[in-house]
Amino acid sequence: MLRVVFFLLAGLLVLSACGVPNSSGTIGSDGRPLPTVYKIRNSDVSKIQYRILDSVNALRSASGAGQVQLNAQLNAAAETHSRDMSKQNRPWHFGSDGSSPIDRVARAGYPGPMLGENISETFENELETLGAWMDQPGTRQVILEPNAINMGFAWHQESSGKIWWTLLMGG
């Protein structure tokens, strides 16, 4: 009988340990899990761009909009702005030199009109960021812009893991 009580107590101790907050640092002071750092490797660049392209085209198709394709000039303009937002340490649509998205797209040599820009400062991956953009009417409209035929998508990741995302749509 003593053996059964011992095993029951040992089992209860094991189960009670399951409810103790993790002391390894994965739980924040508010009791919620800390975000996992999404680290982008150089070998992931084209995978991420095509994963976003496929996702955007699926969303556009579901809404009746035509497909878009990646454009090198729009990608370059998006990358430039992502780096610049990081340097400024603020997510906004204007460059440190006062440039607008239209200015940056023209500087990158894109021949068509710039139809919209989405930006984000986050620790989330690209698909979570796309989901957040789709949840907001203004950024959703950019993704589903019916006149878009080209897309640019790029980011800059800081050593802390923070990612500055930029998506551009062009006609």
Side-chain angles (χ1 to χ4, degrees):
M1 180 69 159
L2 189 58
R3 190 180 281 178
V4 171
V5 171
F6 173 76
F7 283 118
L8 283 173
L9 285 174
L12 285 172
L13 283 173
V14 168
L15 287 175
S16 68
C18 292
V20 175
N22 186 343
S23 61
S24 67
T26 59
I27 302 295
S29 61
D30 60 357
R32 300 179 70 196
L34 293 174
T36 303
V37 174
Y38 177 65
K39 185 66 180 158
I40 301 172
R41 299 180 307 251
N42 288 337
S43 63
D44 294 335
V45 172
S46 65
K47 292 176 195 171
I48 290 171
Q49 284 183 319
Y50 284 103
R51 191 165 39 235
I52 280 292
L53 178 65
D54 290 344
S55 299
V56 164
N57 279 330
L59 293 165
R60 290 176 61 80
S61 179
S63 74
Q67 304 286 291
V68 294
Q69 59 184 332
L70 283 174
N71 176 276
Q73 289 104 345
L74 291 177
N75 285 342
E79 183 176 355
T80 298
H81 191 55
S82 293
R83 290 182 181 281
D84 192 43
M85 285 189 298
S86 172
K87 286 181 189 172
Q88 295 182 69
N89 196 33
R90 64 178 168 180
W92 74 325
H93 294 281
F94 295 95
S96 56
D97 62 355
S99 62
S100 72
I102 295 169
D103 297 331
R104 290 189 299 277
V105 166
R107 276 189 215 155
Y110 184 70
M114 193 284 302
L115 301 173
E117 177 183 69
N118 287 346
I119 58 173
S120 182
E121 166 198 17
T122 185
F123 287 90
E124 296 176 335
N125 68 37
E126 68 280 0
L127 296 178
E128 292 169 314
T129 301
L130 179 60
W133 285 335
M134 289 300 290
D135 283 342
Q136 299 300 314
T139 50
R140 178 186 181 91
Q141 184 178 351
V142 169
I143 293 164
L144 302 179
E145 168 58 52
N147 297 316
I149 57 173
N150 292 306
M151 182 182 88
F153 183 74
W155 60 89
H156 174 72
Q157 185 167 34
E158 297 177 352
S159 59
S160 68
K162 184 189 293 186
I163 307 169
W164 301 84
W165 301 102
T166 304
L167 178 141
L168 288 161
M169 288 295 191

